[in-house]
Amino acid sequence: MSLDSLSGRIERKYIEMMRSKGIDLNDLILMSDSELSKELGVDREVAREILREVSSLLLRPLTADKLLEEESRLRTGIEGLDELLGGGLRIRTITGIYGPPASGKTQFCIYMTVRSLLNEERGGISSERAVFIDTEGTFDPGRASAFLRQNGLSERDLSRIDVLRVNNIIQLKEALEIAMSYVRSGTSKLICLDSISYPFRQYGGLKGLRERQEDLQEVLVSLRRIADRGSVVIMTMHAIKWGRDLYSKGGFVLSHTPHNMLCFRKVRGKVIVTLEDSSYLPPGQAAFIVRDDGIIGL
């Protein structure tokens, strides 16, 4: 259905305003009245009425068996880790990964970006392109090439990975808009953000705490919208120091917005992965090693 389905339910001028802003029905399902009010420049009561009509038009129950049919997964191909994740990273979910520097987070993120390009028979999700949002300048095409070879792909497939290098909050928000356009068009089924916390370094001390948390909440809401919008897997990285937990790094919203939260730590050359929190999986552990020729499960 299109915005024209709202004809007769709301004033035509609001339909045209939304069309000019690039807002469609799927966007409206995920928007709050305050967000729609701000986007259109209208009173919140007008925004509420629009959203009420959208809900009346679109809100229908979906049986659990239909949801089960849609539960495709991006397999890691790593022995033990796929079992820990219930078969792999599920579409329409956000997986947060945190740990100290040099614990394997970025390597794993690049590896899974490559894996998303594989077809379903080989454990991938047939993503035409993959989006890697790089806030720390850590994306290494050389490592991507090694992971491509490990997974039976060629260096030509590097052209299917789109890297967005961002340096601040404004650029990060714009990058998420670009990522959303990929998902809308069906071009990309994986988005990796490495790291989500680094752009927020511009806020220092308690003085900027409120603004930081508001911006962080906006970014996380955008990620949830992208995840809910279509068949996409989202991964976010967070670097912390030993002795600090994830809550102290980004508060409640950063530690509880993802559907799954994985902790990475390196012990004697092995990357120990702990599933600390999940909305649908029990806790547990797995391990892998990073070699020149790829990532190998233990």
Side-chain angles (χ1 to χ4, degrees):
M1 287 188 285
S2 68
L3 287 174
D4 291 324
S5 303
L6 293 172
S7 295
R9 292 173 174 263
I10 64 174
E11 292 184 43
R12 187 73 194 179
K13 65 179 181 180
Y14 298 130
I15 294 176
E16 296 305 324
M17 288 169 67
M18 289 185 287
R19 182 173 284 123
S20 68
K21 295 284 187 178
I23 299 172
D24 62 21
L25 289 177
N26 288 320
D27 295 320
L28 291 171
I29 293 173
L30 303 173
M31 295 183 82
S32 67
D33 55 357
S34 61
E35 290 167 331
L36 183 59
S37 171
K38 181 179 178 180
E39 191 70 29
L40 298 183
V42 298
D43 292 338
R44 287 187 68 174
E45 187 53 45
V46 172
R48 289 192 188 100
E49 182 57 33
I50 293 173
L51 294 180
R52 276 195 289 267
E53 292 299 331
V54 171
S55 296
S56 175
L57 180 66
L58 297 180
L59 191 58
R60 298 290 184 274
L62 187 63
T63 59
D65 61 326
K66 294 296 183 183
L67 289 173
L68 184 62
E69 290 175 4
E70 297 177 357
E71 281 194 358
S72 61
R73 284 173 166 79
L74 170 59
R75 297 183 63 83
T76 69
I78 300 172
E79 185 178 355
L81 188 52
D82 278 324
E83 182 178 353
L84 177 67
L85 295 172
L89 302 180
R90 197 164 75 181
I91 63 168
R92 297 189 178 89
T93 63
I94 301 172
T95 297
I97 299 174
Y98 79 99
S103 57
K105 302 183 303 298
T106 295
Q107 297 255 14
F108 181 73
C109 190
I110 297 173
Y111 172 80
M112 293 304 293
T113 299
V114 167
R115 293 276 305 174
S116 73
L117 305 177
L118 298 172
N119 59 34
E120 286 83 354
E121 290 73 19
R122 299 176 62 190
I125 49 177
S126 298
S127 187
E128 181 182 338
R129 311 191 71 79
V131 178
F132 193 105
I133 302 175
D134 184 3
T135 69
E136 299 187 29
T138 53
F139 181 85
D140 185 343
R143 289 306 290 157
S145 294
F147 295 141
L148 285 167
R149 291 191 295 270
Q150 180 187 8
N151 287 281
L153 298 171
S154 73
E155 287 200 7
R156 291 192 301 272
D157 290 301
L158 283 174
S159 64
R160 298 169 61 193
I161 301 173
D162 290 343
V163 180
L164 294 169
R165 297 194 185 275
V166 304
N167 299 293
N168 54 50
I169 302 300
I170 294 174
Q171 291 177 359
L172 176 56
K173 292 178 181 179
E174 180 62 28
L176 291 175
E177 288 296 320
I178 294 172
M180 174 64 93
S181 70
Y182 277 60
V183 175
R184 281 176 175 160
S185 66
T187 302
S188 180
K189 296 181 181 180
L190 179 131
I191 297 166
C192 181
L193 172 51
D194 184 15
S195 72
I196 190 173
S197 51
Y198 192 74
F200 293 89
R201 70 195 186 283
Q202 68 188 60
Y203 300 111
L206 294 176
K207 187 176 181 180
L209 180 60
R210 178 177 177 180
E211 187 178 359
R212 183 195 75 176
Q213 290 305 100
E214 288 176 350
D215 277 337
L216 179 58
Q217 176 71 18
E218 184 178 343
V219 167
L220 289 167
V221 167
S222 295
L223 288 171
R224 287 299 291 260
R225 279 189 186 149
I226 296 171
D228 291 339
R229 179 61 192 260
S231 300
V232 60
V233 171
I234 296 178
M235 301 171 61
T236 62
M237 308 295 124
H238 326 276
I240 64 170
K241 296 179 180 179
W242 282 121
R244 296 190 67 188
D245 59 20
L246 186 62
Y247 188 87
S248 67
K249 183 74 173 182
F252 181 86
V253 293
L254 184 57
S255 57
H256 291 280
T257 297
H259 301 85
N260 301 305
M261 186 59 69
L262 301 174
C263 176
F264 277 35
R265 57 190 176 91
K266 187 171 284 187
V267 180
R268 299 186 183 91
K270 301 176 183 178
V271 178
I272 308 299
V273 181
T274 303
L275 178 58
E276 293 194 339
D277 189 23
S278 175
S279 60
Y280 58 92
L281 291 169
Q285 282 190 339
F288 62 82
I289 57 173
V290 180
R291 304 191 317 200
D292 289 343
D293 59 346
I295 290 180
I296 309 298
L298 297 174

